[in-house]
């Protein structure tokens, strides 16, 4: 049976029920890392990196291998993409050999161009606009500690810091798909794109959730079930840290802010973290922090996503069960 070619380029590329399917698969992979092996053969998956990586490289490389496949890891300097080959040409070439394409790159238009010409699933492993694989792992982490996948809907999550970055965008969309109450707080000048907020509001309304964008960190954190943050300076902006960090100090996740959330609220950070800046050591190393489970869940969530995408393409319901 022939299925439908699907990609994961941004968090709302899946529906509420489809996201639940992926997360349920992720829970099964947590219990048994070899639960399914859709790439047995081994079948190759191209994993492309235009940006430095630790967690993404490790989790996708090990994940594809545990799915029975061969991860072909290609850095920017080792591909013709780095020398100006059109994305469309690369996509056609890789699709003829690989069973999936994973790409960590810059502009969102790049992964969209790759998907346009691909005949196998394409996964956004991070762009400047979205980081859907991270948010799947973060939702999986909440499900792990707070009652399973069915318990996600209705929970409140708060993100503090640079609210104009890819993590804020993905929390808005991914949380809305899950039916959560999503709150994003950042200073003026660092708030999310209005079009993304509008998409998130529409999706949240369909799934029983809500969206709040605010400049008040206390309003965002009040009675939240989980608090998130990210580095205040994205890759490539390190030289501007002293200037860029000034507006963000009121959004530092510290004991005072965490005390406003629910008593059993979780703390998550996509890492790398800078203690004493976006988060204090007492929080990230404290009892409410689940960042190491969150990092491990990148492996399980991404294996689930790849398995789900392959199941859709092949029309194989057994891979989705």
């Amino acid at each position: 049976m022939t299925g439908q070619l699907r990609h994961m380029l941004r968090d709302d590329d899946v529906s509420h029920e489809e996201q639940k399917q992926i997360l349920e698969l992720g829970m099964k992979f947590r219990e048994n890392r070899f639960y399914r092996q859709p790439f047995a053969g081994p079948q190759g998956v191209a994993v492309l990196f235009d940006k430095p990586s630790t967690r993404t490289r490790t989790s996708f490389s090990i994940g594809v291998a545990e799915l029975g496949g061969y991860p072909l890891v290609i850095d920017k300097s080792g591909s013709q993409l780095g020398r100006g080959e059109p994305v469309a040409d690369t996509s056609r070439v890789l699709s003829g050999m690989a069973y999936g394409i994973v790409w960590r790159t810059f502009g969102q238009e790049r992964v969209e161009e790759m998907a346009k010409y691909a005949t196998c699933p394409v996964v956004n492993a991070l762009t400047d606009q979205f980081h859907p694989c991270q948010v799947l792992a973060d939702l999986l982490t909440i499900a792990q500690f707070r009652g399973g996948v069915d318990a996600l809907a209705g929970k409140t999550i708060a993100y503090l810091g640079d609210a104009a970055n890819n993590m804020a965008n993905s929390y808005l969309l991914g949380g809305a798909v899950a039916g959560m109450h999503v709150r994003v707080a950042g200073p003026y000048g660092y708030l999310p794109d209005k079009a993304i907020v509008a998409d998130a509001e529409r999706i949240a309304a369909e799934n029983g959730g809500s969206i709040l964008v605010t400049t008040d960190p206390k309003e965002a954190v009040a009675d939240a079930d989980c608090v998130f943050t990210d580095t205040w300076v994205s890759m490539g902006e390190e030289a501007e840290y002293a200037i860029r960090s000034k507006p963000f100090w009121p959004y530092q996740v510290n004991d005072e802010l965490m005390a406003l959330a629910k008593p059993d609220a979780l703390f998550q950070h996509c890492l790398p973290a800078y203690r004493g800046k976006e988060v204090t050591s007492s929080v990230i190393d404290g009892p409410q922090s689940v960042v190491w489970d969150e990092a491990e869940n990148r492996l399980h969530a991404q294996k689930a996503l790849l398995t789900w995408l392959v199941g859709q393409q092949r029309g194989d319901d057994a891979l989705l069960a």
Side-chain angles (χ1 to χ4, degrees), residues 248-267:
F248 297 118
W249 283 107
Y251 303 87
Q252 181 191 69
V253 181
N254 50 37
D255 293 324
E256 179 184 1
L257 270 182
M258 284 298 295
L260 300 177
K262 288 184 178 177
D264 64 346
L266 304 173
F267 170 76

Side-chain angles (χ1 to χ4, degrees), residues 71-305:
L72 176 65
V73 179
I74 306 173
D75 287 314
K76 182 178 180 180
S77 61
S79 78
Q80 296 300 333
L81 272 173
R83 300 179 62 194
E85 180 176 47
V87 172
D89 292 357
T90 298
S91 181
R92 292 182 179 106
V93 170
L94 293 178
S95 292
M97 306 182 199
Y99 290 81
I101 300 170
V102 177
W103 197 8
R104 181 179 176 94
T105 188
F106 295 90
Q108 179 72 12
E109 73 281 354
R110 290 169 68 76
V111 293
E112 291 175 356
E113 182 82 353
M114 184 75 78
K116 180 179 178 180
Y117 294 95
T119 56
C120 62
V122 174
V123 173
N124 174 1
L126 176 144
T127 63
D128 294 340
Q129 286 73 40
F130 301 102
H131 199 353
C133 290
Q134 180 67 57
V135 168
L136 282 176
D138 295 351
L139 295 179
L140 186 64
T141 305
I142 298 174
Q144 175 189 348
F145 285 95
R146 293 295 180 266
V149 174
D150 286 335
L152 290 175
K155 282 192 165 44
T156 299
I157 60 174
Y159 169 84
L160 307 180
D162 184 353
N165 71 4
N166 53 6
M167 287 309 308
N169 293 340
S170 278
Y171 285 128
L172 284 166
L173 294 180
V177 171
M180 306 177 92
H181 302 293
V182 185
R183 303 173 184 168
V184 170
Y188 288 111
Y190 297 92
L191 295 176
D193 184 272
K194 290 182 180 179
I196 294 173
V197 175
D199 286 342
E201 288 174 338
R202 172 182 52 80
I203 297 166
E206 293 171 355
N207 296 315
S210 65
I211 300 296
L212 172 68
V213 176
T214 179
T215 58
D216 185 349
K218 294 180 179 179
E219 181 183 20
V221 169
D223 293 320
D225 294 285
C226 189
V227 179
F228 300 89
T229 192
D230 187 15
T231 176
W232 293 336
V233 178
S234 299
M235 281 182 284
E237 299 173 338
E238 289 82 2
E240 305 171 21
Y241 198 99
I243 297 173
R244 276 186 54 88
S245 64
K246 288 182 180 179
F248 297 118
W249 283 107
Y251 303 87
Q252 181 191 69
V253 181
N254 50 37
D255 293 324
E256 179 184 1
L257 270 182
M258 284 298 295
L260 300 177
K262 288 184 178 177
D264 64 346
L266 304 173
F267 170 76
Q268 296 193 53
H269 190 308
C270 62
L271 304 176
Y274 298 90
R275 289 164 174 79
K277 293 179 180 177
E278 73 270 10
V279 61
T280 60
S281 295
S282 59
V283 171
I284 193 171
D285 298 321
Q288 291 173 272
S289 174
V290 291
V291 297
W292 312 121
D293 291 274
E294 175 189 10
E296 180 188 331
N297 280 334
R298 288 289 302 277
L299 173 68
H300 308 308
Q302 289 162 185
K303 286 166 66 177
L305 174 61

